[in-house]
Amino acid sequence: SPEGERLPPVEIVSPEEVFDGDVFLFCASRFVPDTSVTSGDVRMAQYQVNRELAVRYARMARQRRYGGMFCVVSDPVDPLCRAVLEESNRDETGRWDGGGLFSHQVRGFGLGVMQARAMYYARKEPRFAAFLTEGRTYGPHGADLVVANSIEHYDDALSRELTERVVQANLEMRRLGFKPYVAPALSSGALSLLLTLRGEWHCGSVFLDGVFMGVKNRYTPAGVETELLPRIPDPLFGHIREAAEHLKSVL
């Protein structure tokens, strides 16, 4: 670094060595939509081509009997996590045999940037201010995101508006001609990963009811702990259920 701080050395390794460590980050993409794509869920457009690449590494993890974390940062995070878990547990004939990764090993890092964007709007506009201390984000890193303006004083209309603002922030950047790499790399990637390794609460995707869903969670010696709230307002729970059902339909 410019200040002379000592940083960990970077070592180039062969593909056969990538699972020798404790944490594997999948950040590769075969396809990134051009900035001219300014409508629709651009993340889902990447699914099939990035799925092939992610599955290749999932099978490598199976062969190596990898016991560490398999962290997915590439889009679309949540369906890719599910593909990694499922395909790592299939044999050469495609039969499920449970011989691959455990569900707690696979983690998705995409919700952090959505949380950060919601906080940005909450600081900018007083009507969203409650989110900073009482709000939550749930669901996938994409169009099915669910933002709650407040758990204690939930306002469905306000929450829907904030959700829309957060989801559209990505497209707004693209309309300006930028591919928004930096914010996801920090909020969803580096910062969330550090919180995970420290066992601290963060926003990310974990395995829940057959899919990977973004929730507030932390990684403990006993496994994944998700936040348990005394009560979730019925309209909010309905939105979360809808997001989960849609994720189940993505194969």
Side-chain angles (χ1 to χ4, degrees):
S1 85
E3 292 77 26
E5 179 184 354
R6 295 186 63 186
L7 297 174
V10 175
E11 183 178 346
I12 299 175
V13 299
S14 66
E16 293 73 27
E17 297 175 277
V18 296
F19 289 107
D20 286 351
D22 298 311
V23 180
F24 173 79
L25 267 65
F26 181 79
C27 304
S29 289
R30 275 184 167 172
F31 167 64
V32 178
D34 188 79
T35 51
S36 61
V37 180
T38 57
S39 62
D41 193 345
V42 294
R43 301 172 189 88
M44 288 308 300
Q46 301 169 261
Y47 179 52
Q48 288 302 330
V49 286
N50 285 349
R51 185 185 190 281
E52 294 176 14
L53 191 57
V55 165
R56 182 188 303 176
Y57 282 96
R59 290 171 180 154
M60 287 175 59
R62 169 192 172 93
Q63 292 167 0
R64 294 296 305 275
R65 298 187 178 278
Y66 179 59
M69 288 186 195
F70 192 116
C71 302
V72 177
V73 184
S74 300
D75 281 328
V77 170
D78 313 83
L80 286 180
C81 282
R82 184 181 177 191
V84 164
L85 177 63
E86 291 189 352
E87 296 304 321
S88 77
N89 281 285
R90 297 187 186 278
D91 64 16
E92 292 75 9
T93 67
R95 181 180 64 89
W96 175 280
D97 63 3
L101 298 166
F102 290 104
S103 60
H104 68 268
Q105 290 179 257
V106 183
R107 306 177 64 81
F109 291 87
L111 191 59
V113 71
M114 299 307 213
Q115 174 79 11
R117 287 170 181 163
M119 293 175 69
Y120 166 79
Y121 289 118
R123 289 192 179 104
K124 190 176 181 181
E125 300 183 35
R127 60 204 180 98
F128 296 137
F131 179 85
L132 295 172
T133 54
E134 303 172 7
R136 295 292 189 280
T137 49
Y138 298 98
H141 173 57
D144 286 319
L145 173 77
V146 178
V147 179
N149 75 301
S150 167
I151 295 297
E152 292 85 351
H153 307 94
Y154 181 72
D155 183 316
D156 195 59
L158 204 59
S159 295
R160 283 175 174 269
E161 184 180 352
L162 183 54
T163 299
E164 184 67 16
R165 297 282 287 277
V166 171
V167 170
Q168 293 298 321
N170 184 52
L171 296 176
E172 195 61 36
M173 287 292 291
R174 299 178 74 82
R175 289 190 189 95
L176 295 174
F178 294 98
K179 292 182 180 180
Y181 287 125
V182 176
L186 291 173
S187 301
S188 287
L191 299 178
S192 292
L193 178 64
L194 288 173
L195 291 173
T196 301
L197 297 177
R198 293 169 183 159
E200 298 180 21
W201 292 102
H202 64 283
C203 295
S205 294
V206 296
F207 192 67
L208 294 168
D209 192 26
V211 294
F212 281 82
M213 278 283 288
V215 294
K216 186 176 180 180
N217 72 92
R218 62 181 174 181
Y219 196 81
T220 76
V224 178
E225 179 184 3
T226 58
E227 181 186 42
L228 292 179
L229 295 170
R231 177 182 172 275
I232 295 180
D234 290 341
L236 173 58
F237 189 74
H239 298 322
I240 296 172
R241 187 189 295 276
E242 288 175 15
E245 291 302 316
H246 184 256
L247 282 171
K248 290 179 182 179
S249 70
V250 180
L251 301 176

